[in-house]
Amino acid sequence: MEKVILKQLSFEAFDVFVKDLGWPKYRAQQVRDWIYQKRISRIDEMTNLSKSDRALLESRAVLGEIEPGLRQQSADGTQKFLFRLSDGQEIESVLIPEEDRNTLCISTQVGCTLDCTFCLTGTMGLVRNLKAHEIVDQVLWVQRDMESEVKQDLPERTTGRASLLTNVVLMGMGEPLANYREVTEALRRLTHPKMVGLAPRRITLSTSGLVPQIKKFGESGLNVNLAVSLNATTNAVRDRIMPVINRQFPLETLLRACRNYPLPPRRRIFFEYVLLKGVNDSEEDARRLLRLVKGIPCKVNLIPFNDYPGAPFSRPGEETVLRFQKILIEGGLTAFIRKSRGRDILAACGQLRTATEDRPTLIESVRS
Ligand code: SAH
Ligand code: SF4
C-alpha cells in the first residue's frame, strides 16, 4: 500500500486518516501538533504516542518534507534558503530579520508564467506549481531552524532582534494567485489556530494583478493582506514591463478590482511600485499614481529596481526615488521605500531563480 504523506493532508483529511487507522478522534490533533506546532522531522519523535502506535503510523505514512539545501547568510543578517522538492525541483525562501520582526519570503511556484520584463523569475518560465505542503513547509523548516538557533543562543539572535518568525510574505518565486487552490489551502494551514496558527494580518500575498482571482481571494475569508504590483501609471508602460498580465487585465480593470476589494476594518491594500530609471519614475508618474489610487485605502511600497547583468532596465538615482516618494506623501499617501538587503548573498524577493545556471539575484526588505 502506498504510504500517506502526512503533510499533504488538509485539516479535515487528517481526521479521516486517523479514523481509518482506528484511532480515537483526539489523536488527529496530537499528530497535527507534532507536525505544525512542535515541528518534528521524524514520526518517531511523536512521544505521546505509544511505541506500537508510532510503528503503525510509520508503516502507513511518511511526513513528506521538503529538503533543505544550500543556505547563505548575508552580512546584514538576511538568509537565503534553497529547498529541494521530491521531484528534484528547487525553490528559494528568504528570511529578513529586522529589529521588531522577522519576515520570511516564500515561493509559490517554480518559475512564473508571466514574463514581466524586469523580473528574473519570469525568465525561467513556469516549471510547476507548488503543492500546499511545499509552501507551508518552507515556513515550518525556517521556524524550526530559528528555534534551534535560539536554543544554541547564537550571538546574532541575542542582539534585541525578534527571535522567532513573525511575518510571512508570498513574494518569492511565482505568481501566487496563478496557483490559487494550493496557495489558499496553504494559507488556511498557515492561519489555522490548530495548525501553524499565524495571525492573518502578519501574512501578505503579492499579485501582479490577476483580477478574477483577486475578487475570489477577497471573498475567501482568509483575511491576509493583499499587495498588488502596480509598477506603472499608464497602460502603455505597463504593457511594456508586464505584458502578459496587463494585456489581459489593464490598469483600469485592476484598479476597479482593488477599489471593490472587501478590506477588513483598518486594513489597506499595499501597492508595490518598482522604480525603473527613465521608464516609470517621473514626477508626472508620481502625480498620476496619486490620481489612480485615490479613494482606495492603501500604502505604497516603492522598490528601486534591483539591477543584474544583462538587465534591460536600471535603478533610478536616490534623488529621483526620494522625489517620487515626496510627491506621494504630499499628496496624502503613505509611501515607503524598500531597503535593499542581502546583495552580497544574491537573494531576491520576487526575482529568485533556481536551477544550475549561475544567476545573480538581489533582495528587498519587506515593510508592510
Ligand atoms: N508574482 C508576484 C509576487 C512575486 S514578485 C508579483 O508580481 O507581485 C514580488 C515583487 O518583486 C513584485 O512587486 C515585483 O514587481 C518585484 N520585482 C520583481 N523583479 C524585481 C526587480 N528586478 N527589482 C525590484 N523589484 C522586483
Ligand atoms: Fe511573475 Fe511576479 Fe516576476 Fe511578474 S514580477 S514575472 S508576476 S514573479
Side-chain angles (χ1 to χ4, degrees):
M1 196 176 18
E2 211 171 302
K3 290 194 177 180
V4 167
I5 299 172
L6 292 177
K7 288 197 173 179
Q8 281 186 358
L9 300 179
S10 66
F11 188 88
E12 297 75 19
F14 239 103
D15 289 345
V16 176
F17 172 68
V18 159
K19 197 168 166 221
D20 287 347
L21 284 179
W23 284 354
K25 202 170 174 217
Y26 69 85
R27 224 2 101 72
Q29 192 50 41
Q30 281 181 327
V31 176
R32 273 192 297 258
D33 275 349
W34 283 111
I35 294 177
Y36 293 105
Q37 296 290 318
K38 302 191 189 91
R39 300 183 274 276
I40 45 138
S41 56
R42 288 176 296 114
I43 288 178
D44 193 43
E45 291 174 71
M46 300 183 182
T47 48
N48 60 0
L49 264 60
S50 70
K51 266 211 150 83
S52 61
D53 280 347
R54 271 180 267 168
L56 172 67
L57 194 56
E58 270 174 340
S59 72
R60 298 281 297 277
V62 290
L63 281 176
E65 301 204 283
I66 59 174
E67 224 182 278
L70 182 70
R71 166 183 170 165
Q72 290 165 277
Q73 168 130 19
S74 140
D76 66 19
T78 304
Q79 292 182 55
K80 186 170 78 167
F81 299 84
L82 183 80
F83 293 107
R84 178 161 298 121
L85 311 176
S86 57
D87 61 354
Q89 293 296 340
E90 291 179 334
I91 51 165
E92 287 176 326
S93 317
V94 179
L95 176 63
I96 307 143
E98 291 173 278
E99 282 308 314
D100 56 342
R101 66 177 77 189
N102 287 312
T103 303
L104 183 67
C105 177
I106 59 175
S107 295
T108 56
Q109 298 183 310
V110 184
C112 182
T113 35
L114 291 175
D115 253 343
C116 303
T117 51
F118 52 84
C119 172
L120 268 182
T121 306
T123 64
M124 282 176 82
L126 178 67
V127 180
R128 75 166 170 88
N129 282 327
L130 295 191
K131 292 284 180 198
H133 75 282
E134 293 169 329
I135 299 169
V136 174
D137 225 17
Q138 298 169 57
V139 176
L140 294 178
W141 204 96
V142 172
Q143 280 181 318
R144 186 161 74 209
D145 186 68
M146 293 177 83
E147 267 162 11
S148 71
E149 285 197 4
V150 171
K151 279 189 199 129
Q152 291 166 29
D153 210 17
L154 293 183
E156 68 261 35
R157 298 262 171 260
T158 57
T159 50
R161 287 193 173 126
S163 58
L164 295 175
L165 193 62
T166 56
N167 295 54
V168 171
V169 294
L170 284 68
M171 293 186 188
M173 293 165 68
E175 167 49 54
L177 292 185
N179 181 15
Y180 191 86
R181 196 189 54 204
E182 298 297 324
V183 165
T184 48
E185 172 58 22
L187 289 172
R188 244 170 257 127
R189 295 183 201 177
L190 288 173
T191 54
H192 197 300
K194 290 189 167 174
M195 294 178 102
V196 182
L198 291 168
R201 70 191 154 79
R202 299 279 191 177
I203 302 179
T204 303
L205 176 145
S206 171
T207 180
S208 56
L210 288 167
V211 166
Q213 285 89 336
I214 289 178
K215 187 165 183 290
K216 211 157 106 184
F217 193 64
E219 291 160 359
S220 67
L222 281 162
N223 285 344
V224 307
N225 298 307
L226 179 71
V228 174
S229 300
L230 202 58
N231 295 346
T233 59
T234 64
N235 280 321
V237 172
R238 206 163 187 267
D239 276 345
R240 180 176 155 210
I241 63 176
M242 304 178 79
V244 182
I245 193 78
N246 201 61
R247 275 184 211 137
Q248 222 181 337
F249 306 110
L251 271 176
E252 52 283 5
T253 314
L254 174 59
L255 286 162
R256 197 179 321 122
C258 294
R259 225 169 273 285
N260 294 334
Y261 191 78
L263 279 171
R266 292 184 302 282
R267 293 276 195 90
R268 299 195 245 182
I269 289 184
F270 303 116
F271 285 113
E272 292 166 288
Y273 194 94
V274 179
L275 285 163
L276 308 167
K277 187 175 179 177
V279 176
N280 63 359
D281 61 348
S282 69
E283 295 187 16
E284 210 187 334
D285 277 305
R287 281 190 287 271
R288 241 190 326 255
L289 181 55
L290 276 172
R291 285 198 297 275
L292 284 177
V293 303
K294 206 173 164 74
I296 304 176
C298 67
K299 290 183 197 175
V300 175
N301 282 321
L302 299 171
I303 319 175
F305 175 67
N306 280 318
D307 223 343
Y308 50 88
F313 300 103
S314 55
R315 185 190 185 104
E318 202 179 328
E319 242 172 68
T320 310
V321 174
L322 289 173
R323 192 189 55 206
F324 201 97
Q325 181 192 33
K326 192 161 174 265
I327 296 172
L328 298 185
I329 292 175
E330 282 173 359
L333 272 184
T334 310
F336 295 110
I337 300 168
R338 272 199 208 154
K339 266 187 301 182
S340 278
R341 298 270 306 251
R343 282 163 182 267
D344 53 340
I345 57 160
L346 307 172
C349 232
Q351 56 159 194
L352 300 172
R353 184 183 166 114
T354 52
T356 43
E357 282 163 86
D358 190 17
R359 284 285 187 147
T361 45
L362 301 163
I363 187 174
E364 289 298 319
S365 122
V366 179
R367 271 262 155 207
S368 58

